[in-house]
Every structure is written in structure tokens, then in C-alpha cells.
Amino acid sequence: MAVQITDANFEANVLKSSIPVLIDFWAPWCGPCRAMGPVIDELAAEYDGKVLIAKMNVDENPATPSKYAIRAIPTLILFKGGEVVEQITGAVSKSSIKDMIAQKALG
């Protein structure tokens, strides 16, 4: 399962993480976000210990999405060493996400 990230724990769990972090910015009312949910959970299992796969509900946590100028959801942001290294907006395939992780996080 993907880890739930909030505005309160964002710095500790994402910016100070010793491994890369992929966050799925989503909301319960967003159809494409709900469709991506199972894919995000599968990735969390596949990358356990190598990449932290997380989700952030934009309705419950407005500060972080605002800071990173999230204008549409779902948006995936990959952090490495506390810095944004890649961002994808919209529903994308699992293989596209895996390619991004391989190139930007583990490469």
C-alpha cells in the first residue's frame, strides 16, 4: 500500500527521505485518480525499500499541492534528495511510471 502523506509529515517523509519518493496527488472525487489507485499500490509493493510510493489527498492537504503548483490531478511528482526530479500530470500507464522511476530515481 502507498504511504499517506500529509502537509504535516511532508518534510520528514519526503524532503528528508533517504530514498527517492514518488507522490500521487489525488482526490476521492477524481475518476482518473481512482483509476490510478491500484497501480500506485502495486508500485508501492514492487519498489518497497527502494522508492517510497506515497499518496496525498489534495482536498485534505492544500499547502503542499499549492507549494508545488499542482493545477490538475492526478499529478505524480518524483523527489530525490528532497528535490523534484520529474513530474507527470494525468493518468498514465504503469510502464510509463516504471520508466520514469528507472531513469530518474534509480538510474
Side-chain angles (χ1 to χ4, degrees), residues 31-106:
C33 299
R34 288 197 313 273
M36 292 280 298
V39 171
I40 298 300
D41 287 335
E42 288 171 19
L43 291 168
E46 288 180 35
Y47 288 101
D48 187 36
K50 295 188 214 89
V51 179
L52 177 66
I53 308 293
K55 296 172 71 82
M56 177 178 276
N57 183 322
V58 298
D59 290 341
E60 295 173 357
N61 303 281
T64 304
S66 176
K67 178 179 178 183
Y68 290 96
I70 304 296
R71 304 258 183 268
I73 52 174
T75 291
L76 302 173
I77 299 183
L78 182 61
F79 290 84
K80 188 173 182 181
E83 300 292 322
V84 174
V85 293
E86 189 67 67
Q87 180 170 331
I88 299 174
T89 301
V92 294
S93 69
K94 182 177 178 181
S95 62
S96 296
I97 299 169
K98 290 181 78 161
D99 288 347
M100 175 185 69
I101 290 171
Q103 291 172 13
K104 302 289 184 168
L106 303 175

